[in-house]
Amino acid sequence: MFKDLFRAKQKYVTIRQREVPDGSLQQPEAAKKELPDGLWVKCGQCNQMIYHKDLVKNLKVCPKCQYHFRISAWERINYLVDPGSFQELYENITSGDPLNFPVYQEKIAKSKKRTELKEGVVTGVGNIGGVPLALGVMDFEFIGGSMGSAVGEKLVRIFEYAAEHGLPVVTFAASGGARMYEGILSLMQMATTCQALSRLAEKSLLYISILTDPTTGGVFASFASQGDIIIAEPGALIGFAGARVIQQTTRQTLPPGFQRSEFLLEHGMIDLIINRKELRNTLARLLRYHQRRKRVINQ
Amino acid sequence: MSNGSNYNLDFERPLKELEKRIEEIKLFAEEKKIDMSEEIARMEEKAHSLKTEIYKKLTPWQKVQIARHPKRPTFLEYINLIFDGFIELHGDRLYRDDPALVGGLAYLEEIPVTILGQQKGRDTKENIFRNFGMPHPEGYRKAIRLMKQAEKFGRPVITFVDVAGAFPGKEAEERGQGEAVARAIMEMAGLRTPIVVVITGEGGSGGALAVGVGDRLLMLENAYYSVISPEGCASILWKDASKAPQAAEVLRITADDLIDLQVVDELIPEPLGGAHTDPEEMAIRIKTHLLKNLKAIIDLDFDHLLAQRYEKFRRIGRYLEE
């Protein structure tokens, strides 16, 4: 009996965030699959053991050190949006293989199977704190959250939908950047998404961009950095060029915390860093600030 | 890379050998006072057809090599050959003047325009000064400032794209390179004045797109435009940067590819042997294409122009809809 107890204790997975040698951004192992109940999870930052159920209850934020684990698009939607209010839109837009690129179709198939998503972003409408809004939530698990034609198209459509219906927009970025497998077509999504944002601006509609771990490359250098208000989750990796490339090219030593949320706040690149557990409340307050007052014009 | 004289295009080797032989024979004929003009003419004709043959079937990777040729004309050289009365304007009014991105006022024939482009150096010293033509955030912010100025005074904007890629540097990140690139894209998308873009050499990813949104996109025959460098792509795909030639194939980065993909509107043919072999001729061709394209849009109503620009980029993506 005691033996069994000890054995049970051995059941844990290590979650550590790290950069693999090729510079791509490897996600913590916990994010790879929904962990079965009853497992202990080790925090990648403070090494504390956390009971999995407690971690989920805490929105996958380490209760000891506030380390934010990466989470899926649907996990975000479920904790943020008023229950029953979310309606997915444009779920039928998916990636083809326009350039007939090596390994791309396998990558798509694997990501679809693993994430049960059809693409790297979930788009739709819902309410937060009773305020209706349009949402675009990226999922890093789908080919590194990379932006190809389908991701770009879904974002553009939701921006256009919001402009047409007078809705504020919130996006969650979680992406390694442009999707290499679609070549120049991916690069052009930076232009199309930015363009569509200008439609919102023309109508004075609020756009809040939320940067999560990681937000890099062509996604950071397009719609994600153009929010009227930009919020980051604590400790998220946010930047344009990769740290490894910078070190190789310039031989510069990079300061600790380089390209983390706190670094960006210090350098004036973002408005706020908000803990995931506070985010719903903050968003509700910000959305309420921007609700239009009906103007009574005195004549 | 820093010195043009020892940059060899390996695919030109048979041609170079033949040209060397011709020179030797010429010298020999002169020394010995023998008339070999017939022989020389025949060989020169052979050299020309060999050159034509080589340049007719360049691979994407060979085009990348031409696009990166250290003697390829730079923006400042084109300015002198294409425009009149150039006045360079400096600075982003926020941090500093970025010599990697040049901008100012000029006349295209009689049309006053604002011109902008990345500026590579000609030698090591100049390349260090100009950061190898890779702008920092302040370069993109200068571009934005000059574009807004062009809009205010009703001048069309012409941009020349030639950049290896956005600059990977600590300071560039600290000063918000991602934001600067995105802001430049946003501003170009909504700018109420015509914009013509010419991709003259390297169209390196975000650094290129930051001055690459416009109503008309023109591209030189041997330029390339890509989401990632062929070397970078090869490292990711095959863990081997030396497979860049294969990556250049699959990425579809040549002017022909980009016309197929409806990203680029028009190809500008280069003189045989590449733009660097005859910069004057290249400049004349660019000027002709610029005038034609600018005149086609210069009198359009701005709402109409912007709607067209929106549609142009809007329809580029290729996806499935079930």
Side-chain angles (χ1 to χ4, degrees):
Chain A
M1 261 208 301
F2 276 109
K3 246 189 221 166
D4 285 341
L5 258 180
F6 283 119
R7 208 172 290 146
K9 257 196 164 176
Q10 302 267 319
K11 272 198 200 165
Y12 63 82
V13 282
T14 307
I15 291 155
R16 186 166 292 133
Q17 203 172 324
R18 62 195 169 97
E19 280 192 23
V20 290
D22 72 351
S24 62
L25 305 156
Q26 184 141 313
Q27 72 278 7
E29 283 166 35
K32 282 186 180 161
K33 54 185 185 294
E34 192 58 37
L35 290 165
D37 285 346
L39 279 184
W40 290 86
V41 175
K42 192 174 175 184
C43 174
Q45 187 167 281
C46 69
N47 289 329
Q48 287 277 353
M49 301 301 294
I50 314 159
Y51 190 49
H52 181 242
K53 270 188 179 166
D54 291 342
L55 185 62
V56 171
K57 216 184 288 169
N58 210 35
L59 306 178
K60 295 203 174 163
V61 176
C62 173
K64 312 254 166 41
C65 75
Q66 303 303 309
Y67 172 73
H68 282 53
F69 290 77
R70 288 181 188 169
I71 63 172
S72 72
W74 281 106
E75 283 176 302
R76 280 191 199 289
I77 292 166
N78 289 336
Y79 85 73
L80 272 170
V81 179
D82 297 350
S85 74
F86 188 74
Q87 186 199 339
E88 188 176 3
L89 293 171
Y90 315 122
E91 69 267 37
N92 293 330
I93 294 173
T94 58
S95 293
D97 181 8
L99 306 190
N100 202 6
F101 207 89
V103 306
Y104 187 28
Q105 292 194 14
E106 294 156 46
K107 289 248 173 202
I108 298 172
K110 263 192 206 161
S111 281
K112 278 186 175 171
K113 204 174 157 201
R114 196 173 58 209
T115 61
E116 292 172 18
L117 295 169
K118 288 183 178 175
E119 247 315 319
V121 66
V122 178
T123 45
V125 289
N127 296 345
I128 291 178
V131 183
L133 79 159
L135 274 163
V137 186
M138 301 186 91
D139 197 309
F140 188 74
E141 278 297 283
F142 200 101
I143 318 187
S146 57
M147 179 163 68
S149 300
V151 168
E153 179 68 21
K154 288 180 82 171
L155 287 166
V156 168
R157 290 228 191 153
I158 200 69
F159 295 158
E160 287 177 343
Y161 181 95
E164 196 186 320
H165 294 85
L167 293 172
V169 177
V170 173
T171 62
F172 282 80
S175 173
R179 191 173 291 177
M180 181 182 76
Y181 310 95
E182 291 185 26
I184 197 77
L185 300 174
S186 297
L187 188 75
M188 291 301 133
Q189 301 312 311
M190 293 168 66
T192 48
T193 51
C194 282
Q195 243 188 352
L197 280 181
S198 61
R199 294 262 156 121
L200 293 174
E202 279 165 23
K203 301 206 167 170
S204 299
L205 291 166
L206 173 69
Y207 169 43
I208 300 176
S209 171
I210 297 161
L211 313 178
T212 74
D213 186 56
T215 300
T216 60
V219 165
F220 181 54
S222 62
F223 68 93
S225 67
Q226 295 302 306
D228 298 302
I229 296 168
I230 305 177
I231 299 172
E233 285 196 334
L237 178 71
I238 303 161
F240 189 37
R244 191 181 56 90
V245 183
I246 295 172
Q247 270 164 337
Q248 277 179 358
T249 313
T250 64
R251 315 245 169 248
Q252 286 168 312
T253 15
L254 301 174
F258 181 67
Q259 292 183 327
R260 295 286 162 188
S261 307
E262 298 71 19
F263 177 90
L264 270 89
L265 185 73
E266 189 190 324
H267 284 89
M269 298 301 155
I270 57 176
D271 290 286
L272 293 161
I273 296 174
I274 303 287
N275 190 299
R276 191 177 290 157
K277 288 177 289 173
E278 300 298 321
L279 190 56
R280 189 185 143 76
N281 185 32
T282 305
L283 281 178
R285 287 176 63 203
L286 286 170
L287 288 166
R288 270 198 298 276
Y289 261 107
H290 293 83
Q291 276 188 311
R292 304 271 177 84
R293 194 173 65 88
K294 284 222 173 67
R295 290 180 70 205
V296 183
I297 295 163
N298 293 318
Q299 294 193 334
Chain B
M1 269 281 285
S2 59
N3 191 343
S5 56
N6 52 30
Y7 184 89
N8 286 315
L9 298 168
D10 53 4
F11 57 88
E12 277 192 338
R13 195 174 303 133
L15 178 68
K16 292 290 165 210
E17 274 164 14
L18 187 57
E19 283 174 346
K20 205 174 139 201
R21 287 263 307 140
I22 296 170
E23 284 312 302
E24 281 166 6
I25 290 169
K26 277 182 180 168
L27 229 87
F28 176 80
E30 206 174 304
E31 255 173 40
K32 305 281 178 191
K33 308 235 185 294
I34 319 171
D35 179 19
M36 294 188 74
S37 55
E38 238 176 73
E39 172 76 8
I40 290 165
R42 205 168 49 241
M43 284 179 81
E44 279 176 337
E45 201 178 298
K46 198 179 156 195
H48 183 78
S49 60
L50 180 62
K51 196 172 185 180
T52 313
E53 202 54 38
I54 290 172
Y55 275 82
K56 209 159 61 189
K57 44 182 190 196
L58 288 176
T59 65
W61 178 244
Q62 288 167 343
K63 290 187 177 189
V64 170
Q65 289 172 284
I66 298 169
R68 290 175 178 170
H69 199 291
K71 287 193 172 154
R72 196 163 175 88
T74 65
F75 183 39
L76 281 171
E77 287 167 83
Y78 281 133
I79 292 175
N80 283 326
L81 294 167
I82 296 170
F83 300 93
D84 297 312
F86 177 57
I87 300 174
E88 186 173 355
L89 300 174
H90 294 273
D92 65 346
R93 302 294 186 270
L94 298 162
Y95 185 71
R96 67 156 198 155
D97 183 48
D98 187 347
L101 196 138
V102 167
L105 309 175
Y107 285 99
L108 178 65
E109 287 203 329
E110 77 293 353
I111 311 167
V113 291
T114 288
I115 56 176
L116 292 160
Q118 293 99 352
Q119 178 62 37
K120 288 182 181 175
R122 267 277 169 258
D123 50 41
T124 307
K125 199 178 151 201
E126 202 196 345
N127 259 322
I128 289 166
F129 173 62
R130 298 203 183 268
N131 198 36
F132 296 84
M134 289 183 282
H136 276 74
E138 49 271 25
Y140 302 118
R141 291 182 178 127
K142 170 165 72 178
I144 294 167
R145 182 177 77 81
L146 295 181
M147 286 190 265
K148 296 303 282 182
Q149 188 191 65
E151 179 184 57
K152 179 175 177 181
F153 296 107
R155 281 190 294 270
V157 173
I158 295 170
T159 69
F160 278 54
V161 177
D162 184 15
V163 62
F167 181 61
K170 176 171 157 276
E171 293 79 10
E173 293 294 311
E174 284 172 341
R175 298 201 285 273
Q177 174 154 246
E179 193 278 340
V181 168
R183 174 64 59 186
I185 295 169
M186 287 276 282
E187 295 294 355
M188 291 188 99
L191 203 73
R192 293 179 74 80
T193 194
I195 307 172
V196 182
V197 177
V198 194
I199 301 148
T200 61
E202 296 190 86
S205 194
L209 185 63
V211 291
V213 179
D215 303 297
R216 295 291 169 104
L217 264 66
L218 319 179
M219 186 162 170
L220 269 55
E221 188 181 358
N222 297 316
Y224 79 93
Y225 193 6
S226 180
V227 68
I228 185 169
S229 72
E231 290 88 343
C233 175
S235 308
I236 294 172
L237 266 190
W238 302 298
K239 314 268 174 252
D240 182 0
S242 72
K243 291 200 170 133
Q246 288 95 306
E249 302 271 348
V250 298
L251 279 167
R252 310 273 314 270
I253 57 178
T254 68
D256 286 327
D257 290 328
L258 289 159
I259 285 174
D260 272 355
L261 294 167
Q262 291 177 297
V263 174
V264 164
D265 300 295
E266 220 169 82
L267 178 149
I268 308 179
E270 294 189 20
L272 190 62
H276 61 281
T277 60
D278 193 348
E280 287 79 11
E281 172 61 23
M282 190 70 250
I284 291 169
R285 294 184 190 185
I286 294 174
K287 187 173 183 175
T288 311
H289 283 261
L290 272 179
L291 279 164
K292 185 184 99 187
N293 281 280
L294 186 56
K295 281 176 178 168
I297 53 172
I298 198 164
D299 289 325
L300 285 181
D301 164 72
F302 288 153
D303 289 335
H304 184 60
L305 184 76
L306 259 68
Q308 268 188 12
R309 193 182 301 160
Y310 192 89
E311 275 311 307
K312 176 181 165 53
F313 283 87
R314 185 74 183 78
R315 59 162 193 259
I316 286 174
R318 296 198 180 178
Y319 52 87
L320 307 174
E321 194 159 11
E322 290 157 21

